[in-house]
């Protein structure tokens, strides 16, 4: 088997993480996994949603969107259609849930962080790039909160990152691009923390069910990829 | 550790599968996982959505809902609020995707099966009960399609079933009810086919990340539970 | 004339009223008028809507829905379409208005009762079955309010019940099922209290206008049917 | 008892019916029941809604609205709130249903008439004024259809009119204005044809249930009022 | 060139301004620019929107609508379609912005004026007729506020009026009716105050771009027309 | 007077136009007017909207959006709120209208161009930057249509560009940034073609009305700025 991109089965695409990409957000990152490019911003507010008020804990939430022409053919704009599609809702819930696992909400106090992940160019793996970039943006936003005296101590428990793995032409591969993703037999997204624990595993058989062995191979690849991504996040944050 | 229900860690709740629960649908099942009760219907149509016309393949899709007072405190009715919530969207996408893995869409011809899973009483595990019951309703609907001469052969490739597993008070347990679910450290939904392959695995750390070892224990429990569920499905379909 | 069901013109379908049908709601009733089956729940809250606060009176409101496959062909799910249809709105307004006539809102204090009527199987007369069942669920919920000390005295002024009557093949008949309802010349829904007074009368000519004499025959039948229904409600509540 | 307006119990408000009120619609009527003023237009189209195509029958439908400041305090604009309220939906369904009873849909051919009733000033009885005015607008529109050769013969089977009756301070009264309507014990809307038959009767107890005797008194008043209204419609159409 | 209406290039249509057109609003004007007829009401409230509370200033806002059959062919009702169209939104923003320029919001105190402009018959120039009529309705509403002691002094800084101008068959013309408007090369709406200053100028090339000279000719015509309109407003307010 | 940015009154911000900014769209431009940064894409389709089919003409339309954190404080995402705000609607209508003035729709054949302008960073003038960048993206898309043989000849009649002008601290200035824009007495957007004609002029008094003289000064500045912008567009397209 040869991957369409010529990469080795355990090889990430070229990844870049650019901080301060836009000027207004407390954290703003352009993350690229190959041709997949996502603007991730983290916005802070000194209050929490109504249902959490008075409990002394903070909140982290996320929204996700794709520019209409981030894809090969133009998608209808969700704002114009009047609602977010099911895929969008599913992805933004995943991003929010994952990032909350990186933060001690008690230590955040009654403050909120809102993550926005907007895909400007898509080539597979937009949700994993989003989570990986958003964690860096969130780290920057938390630093701003510290500078402004909104919080004491560091609510960031650990960096987290995400990667897709899959079974493509019978073989487990790391970080699928669109040509692989649209033909994979199995597609799995893995989110892990820097301590090596799992935050979320979502693996879907696109055609035939997958075996326990394939699952293990994919998790091995994911562990390797996430280790590399977390190293890059840390390098970017230096 | 003692489970709130007193069950063994690898013990399912009492499960019942009642076919022909309502009279109009081609497949209609009341499925109970303990106090969780879901009406699953399968409706057939001799056409497919516009985006699939002329391709000769069929379609399986699903919708999910909860009666407003299926839960301890009343939830707002989604029809009245004017949209389905994120959790609903996520669950119905999962149900549809899982059931499509049980069916040979080519063999279905240009026909559709629409699954409706409506929770009338909730006590944890509504999505896994839904999938397990819906697969039986779908088998009944496919039999109706055969009787009516809409299809030749059997598009049902295999039965599938779903179960939740989790880490509760530090120990992997099978089939969480609401008191466990709301306090679990990790929550995982597993959908498998009768051949033992994975169709979907979704595992989320609610607090701390979970280890590879915990993941393996949960998958072992899930495999045992799903084996029992598929036996019950087959018994019900006799 | 013979009715499709073989019933006498003044004969109700077999009616059953099952209390405590689900476990979470303060009142939960499964009501069956023949093949029409509706789950009616009553949910209590110790507050009233904003526009009524501080007036010392309570509120009773209702919502109505049909499961997508409660009918012969699948109806689109209102939550998915993003709004409740005109028929739904009309029916739930009728249910709420009727039940408020059974309750002394002053005696209810600043508490609310929300009725949910969800049709799981439809065969004509869903709104009248809903009102008849909901009144029993409401009686149970009021008893819970008394037990919990939320109210003193009994705000339930009287039981109410509802029945459809119509002119079918030129003759006034009681409690129309779907085959009659879809061919009736006139369709009338009558809601009465146990003291024999009218709470609501809604009579619609489906084809030709109806005469005063026909109206009187229909009201006579309705009075007989409602007397029987109220006796069944009281028996169920014993 | 004295009515707030000083009218006799069986006395209508001053009624006027002005045809050709606006210039674009095929039928356009300003109808006034005292201070209640409604613009009723009838618009014709040479086609029917998709669900009726090819059946050779026509369709009549209606929409209803109130200008935001037709009432004592400003109501939010339904177009701005993004949906029609329950009362609006209920009224426009009633108007459409009533007017369909005046028309032979077969004789209309595959043509549609859309009625718009827009209240510019409200003082009670807007739905009955709407129906009474709309029937005149529809008669004008049908004449246009005849002139244009869209139909042969006359699909208008009879004129219809509507009036409210109620029990106010213990006495049955005809054509309630707002001060009466907001204090009535019972409120009933009656729609009748020129042949004296009932098209729709909707009577609601606002407080205590009403008796069969009160119902009969109200229907007697309604019959008298509708006779007068139909005479005025015919005078206006001369 | 001859204008379809036979008017001179600098001639307004017949304009009428009728105050107290409906009885509930604090200001209610029927304004006619030829066959264009708009009901303009001004409603007062002794509070401001949440985002302005506590700042001591008032607010003026506007909503615009067209009755479905105000036009040659029936337009769908925006309330039924569930949203206001782009044209509606654009026009009501323009009306609100223009009227705010006529009022000293500080002198208004924390009070609001809501303008509703509802077109009952359209023949071009509905937005300019709306603004011109609404300013008179607002003047009446401000007088009511003074009578009720809600404000001291006069927050109305000046009367404003609006007119359309355009290039039609190569020549600048004043106050376009529908036959001109739908064929104009350039369409411009001008809003001016009584002191001769510009409040808003919006000029759009419908076909070829327009020159500076044409722009100047149009502005000259607009100045003349607005002078006449403001004189009529003042006459009406006497 | 000194401008906050230190620019001369007739000086544009630094402008850059980067083609091929993203890879999927037929035209993709990043346009920067100082700190205002907008991604403009042009997408082609070989069909027109239903209301235009069979007329042989093409269509150009536009949509506009701002990333939630393109601004100083986070704005709610329009897709999540379920509708586009009034300002968005107004701007995207302006963009579409302006670009249609640059194209010969007959020469476009039955093809569509959809423009998407998404603001990733805002500092005043987002609509004028959008139009200026979108015209370049559209030129690129038209070239693709020519290459693909979708059209013969060149439907692009001329380049167009847009700039804001205003009165700031009593003086007319060119190309307002956010600090000027939010304090300007008058704000005007001018769209012109390369032949010097006006396509759209929209000038709004934010406080006091503006004089004819101020209007003329602003138009002079706009003419100068647009001349420079069109030169930059042509340079970029070389």
């Amino acid at each position: 088997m040869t991957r369409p991109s010529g990469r080795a089965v355990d090889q990430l695409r070229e990844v870049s993480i650019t901080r301060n990409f836009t000027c207004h957000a407390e954290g703003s990152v352009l993350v690229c996994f190959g041709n997949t490019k996502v603007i991730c911003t983290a916005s802070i507010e000194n209050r929490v949603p109504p249902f959490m008020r008075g409990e002394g804990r903070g909140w982290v939430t996320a929204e996700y969107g794709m520019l209409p022409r981030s894809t090969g053919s133009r998608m209808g704009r969700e704002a114009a259609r009047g609602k977010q599609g099911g895929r969008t809702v599913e992805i933004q819930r995943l991003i929010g849930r994952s990032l909350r696992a990186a933060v001690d909400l008690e230590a955040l106090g009654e403050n909120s962080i809102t993550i926005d992940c907007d895909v400007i160019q898509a080539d597979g793996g937009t949700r994993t790039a989003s989570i990986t970039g958003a964690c860096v943006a969130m780290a920057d936003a938390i630093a701003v909160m510290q500078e402004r005296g909104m919080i004491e101590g560091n609510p960031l428990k650990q960096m987290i990152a995400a990667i897709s793995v899959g079974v493509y032409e019978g073989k487990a591969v790391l970080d699928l691009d669109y040509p692989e993703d649209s033909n994979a037999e199995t597609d799995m997204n893995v989110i892990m923390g820097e301590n090596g624990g799992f935050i979320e595993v979502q693996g879907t058989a696109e055609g035939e069910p997958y075996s326990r062995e394939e699952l293990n191979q994919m998790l091995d690849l994911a562990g390797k990829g996430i280790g590399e991504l977390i190293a890059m996040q840390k390098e970017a944050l230096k």
Side-chain angles (χ1 to χ4, degrees), chain A:
Chain A
M1 183 212 63
T2 312
R3 301 180 71 173
S5 60
R7 280 182 285 148
V9 293
D10 65 349
Q11 189 183 348
L12 293 174
R13 288 177 282 181
E14 191 167 351
V15 172
S16 71
I17 297 172
T18 307
R19 289 162 66 204
N20 304 317
F21 183 67
T22 56
C23 68
H24 296 301
E26 286 77 25
S28 174
V29 163
L30 175 70
V31 63
C32 304
F33 279 26
N35 276 325
T36 289
K37 301 185 180 189
V38 187
I39 302 177
C40 307
T41 59
S43 300
I44 60 182
E45 265 189 314
N46 60 353
R47 52 176 183 165
V48 289
F51 68 91
M52 292 184 67
R53 287 196 188 134
E55 299 183 8
R57 288 182 307 125
W59 190 237
V60 175
T61 189
E63 289 186 355
Y64 170 92
M66 297 181 84
L67 294 200
R69 200 54 199 284
S70 57
T71 46
S73 60
R74 185 178 184 273
M75 300 182 304
R77 188 178 288 266
E78 291 186 325
R81 286 188 302 191
K83 67 179 215 178
Q84 296 180 301
R87 180 183 168 275
T88 294
V89 168
E90 200 172 285
I91 292 177
Q92 67 193 11
R93 283 166 58 88
L94 173 65
I95 299 172
R97 205 161 59 224
S98 299
L99 289 172
R100 282 194 291 279
V103 174
D104 178 347
L105 296 178
E106 308 284 341
L108 199 57
E110 292 214 357
N111 297 296
S112 298
I113 302 176
T114 302
I115 301 296
D116 286 287
C117 295
D118 285 276
V119 178
I120 63 175
Q121 193 173 281
D123 185 36
T126 64
R127 79 191 71 187
T128 50
S130 293
I131 292 168
T132 303
C135 193
V136 175
M138 187 169 72
D140 277 336
I142 285 172
V144 171
M145 294 172 91
Q146 290 171 321
E147 279 163 36
R148 295 190 190 163
M150 292 168 72
I151 50 174
E152 292 167 19
N154 189 356
L156 188 66
K157 296 191 292 185
Q158 60 172 337
M159 292 304 287
I160 67 162
I163 198 67
S164 73
V165 285
V167 178
Y168 175 74
E169 298 199 352
K171 226 169 147 63
V173 293
L174 178 69
D175 188 19
L176 289 72
D177 55 24
Y178 182 75
E180 289 173 325
D181 191 37
S182 50
N183 290 291
E185 292 109 64
T186 296
D187 183 20
M188 181 176 278
N189 292 292
V190 181
I191 297 103
M192 295 174 74
E194 59 182 285
N195 60 15
F198 293 107
I199 289 161
E200 184 117 5
V201 172
Q202 291 198 347
T204 305
E206 301 293 341
E208 291 307 297
Y210 54 98
S211 66
R212 185 80 171 256
E213 190 188 343
E214 288 170 318
L215 183 144
N216 281 323
Q217 289 168 355
M218 290 188 283
L219 292 178
D220 290 343
L221 287 176
K224 172 176 182 295
I226 284 177
E228 293 172 23
L229 289 171
I230 287 178
M232 286 185 248
Q233 288 174 324
K234 294 194 164 177
E235 180 63 29
L237 281 167
K238 258 187 200 158

